[in-house]
Amino acid sequence: MKRRKLLVLITTALAALLLTIGLPTLTSAPVVAQSNSTLLVSAAASLKEALEEIKLLYRQSQPNVNISYNFGSSGALQQQIEQGAPSDIFISAAKKQVDALEQKGLLVGGTRNIIAKNKLVLVIPKNAVGITSFYSLKDAKVKKIAIGEPRSVPAGQYGQQVLEKLKIWSEIKSKLVFANNVRQVLASVETGNADAGLVYITDAKISDKVKVVVTADEKYHSPIIYPLAVIKSSKNVDAAKEFSQFLSSNQAKAVFKKYGFILP
C-alpha cells in the first residue's frame, strides 16, 4: 500500500513538473483534420453575376469548399462534358442540354432541379430611337440584329422561336449576327455594333448601356428555365450535391431575385 501511495506521489510530481516547464502532455487536445473540396461548375453565361455572389455566401459557411466556374453557352458546355471535360455541376439555360446529358447516362440520378427562370427581351443602345417593337426590326434603317446561335445558345433558340411566331424571321434573317453566347449579344448592342439584340431581362438589368424595348410574350417560346444536375464523373459528388442544394436555399433565391431572375 505504501509503495502504491509513493508511486502516485511521484507520478503527480512529474506531471506538475511537465506543466511547469511547458512540455506537451499526453492529454493535449487532438488536431482535427480539415478536408478541402474543389468544385467546377459549368454554367450558362447569363448566371455569372448571381453565381459569383452566391459563391461568396457559400464560402462563409463552407470555407473548405473551393468553387470555380466555367461560364459559356449551354450547348458548348454540354459538348465539353460529353467529350470528357472535367465538371462537377452543370447549369443550363434550357432543358434541352440537360436532357441530352441525362439520355447519355452522364448525370447523377435524382440531382436534377430547376433553380431559376427568366424572360427574353429586345434591347437597343441606350440613346437609340426608332425601334419600338419586334416588327420595327423589319425597317430598312435596322442593319444588324444580334442573337445567340440558336443551335448552341438557348437565348438564340428562344429568340428564333419568337421571331418565327411573329412571322418575321425570314424577313430579317439577312440582318442577323450570331453570337457564341448571350453576353456577346449584349456586348454587341452596348458598343453599337448591333442596332438591336435579343437577351434575357437579367442581362439587360446589369447594363446601363442598353434599354429594353419589349419583353417577349412567353407563349411565343419554350419556358426559359435553368435546370441543374450533378455530373456522374465528378470526383466530389457529395460536395456537389451540397452546393446544388444551397442553390435552392432561401439565401441563394434572394440573390437570384436581386439580379432579376424569376424563382421557380
Side-chain angles (χ1 to χ4, degrees):
M1 182 66 72
K2 289 182 179 180
R3 286 183 178 180
R4 183 174 297 176
K5 287 183 178 180
L6 181 61
L7 183 60
V8 170
L9 289 173
I10 292 173
T11 302
T12 302
L14 285 172
L17 179 61
L18 288 172
L19 288 172
T20 302
I21 63 177
L23 292 178
T25 67
L26 294 177
T27 57
S28 298
V31 176
V32 178
Q34 299 291 332
S35 60
N36 293 321
S37 298
T38 298
L39 295 177
L40 177 59
V41 181
S42 298
S46 51
L47 291 166
K48 185 177 188 300
E49 287 74 18
L51 286 182
E52 291 287 6
E53 186 166 327
I54 288 172
K55 176 172 73 172
L56 297 178
L57 284 175
Y58 192 67
R59 290 277 290 174
Q60 291 176 9
S61 60
Q62 300 291 339
N64 297 313
V65 180
N66 301 307
I67 299 170
S68 297
Y69 292 117
N70 175 26
F71 294 108
S73 72
S74 300
L77 296 174
Q78 171 204 335
Q79 289 183 355
Q80 290 174 16
I81 294 169
E82 287 176 344
Q83 293 166 5
S87 185
D88 298 290
I89 298 170
F90 178 43
I91 312 174
S92 175
K95 180 175 177 287
K96 173 184 174 182
Q97 289 76 22
V98 180
D99 284 347
L101 295 183
E102 185 169 42
Q103 289 167 7
K104 293 185 177 181
L106 299 177
L107 305 181
V108 176
T111 60
R112 284 189 66 160
N113 187 29
I114 297 172
I115 60 171
K117 298 182 179 182
N118 217 332
K119 291 184 177 182
L120 190 73
V121 295
L122 177 65
V123 294
I124 59 176
K126 190 172 184 178
N127 299 320
V129 295
I131 300 177
T132 58
S133 71
F134 283 107
Y135 294 106
S136 298
L137 300 177
K138 298 190 295 181
D139 294 347
K141 63 184 178 183
V142 178
K143 305 296 183 183
K144 292 182 179 180
I145 305 163
I147 184 173
E149 167 54 59
R151 291 171 296 183
S152 60
V153 183
Q157 174 194 339
Y158 300 130
Q160 181 175 355
Q161 290 173 352
V162 171
L163 297 173
E164 287 181 338
K165 197 74 173 181
L166 296 174
K167 302 186 185 305
I168 60 175
W169 172 264
S170 59
E171 292 185 61
I172 65 172
K173 193 172 182 179
S174 62
K175 302 179 182 182
L176 298 179
V177 179
F178 297 103
N180 292 328
N181 60 64
V182 71
R183 288 301 170 84
Q184 287 187 8
V185 176
L186 181 66
S188 294
V189 180
E190 286 179 328
T191 57
N193 289 328
D195 301 303
L198 284 162
V199 299
Y200 298 121
I201 193 168
T202 51
D203 300 307
K205 282 181 177 292
I206 65 169
S207 175
D208 59 0
K209 297 177 182 178
V210 303
K211 59 184 176 183
V212 175
V213 173
V214 63
T215 301
D217 193 318
E218 292 184 1
K219 67 183 179 184
Y220 291 155
H221 60 73
S222 303
I224 302 176
I225 60 174
Y226 290 82
L228 165 155
V230 175
I231 305 302
K232 187 176 287 186
S233 61
S234 169
K235 293 180 173 59
N236 298 290
V237 170
D238 290 339
K241 285 182 177 179
E242 288 181 12
F243 182 59
S244 297
Q245 291 170 359
F246 183 78
L247 290 173
S248 294
S249 69
N250 289 333
Q251 279 182 288
K253 286 178 179 178
V255 176
F256 285 129
K257 189 174 181 180
K258 168 186 171 181
Y259 283 95
F261 291 93
I262 301 163
L263 301 180

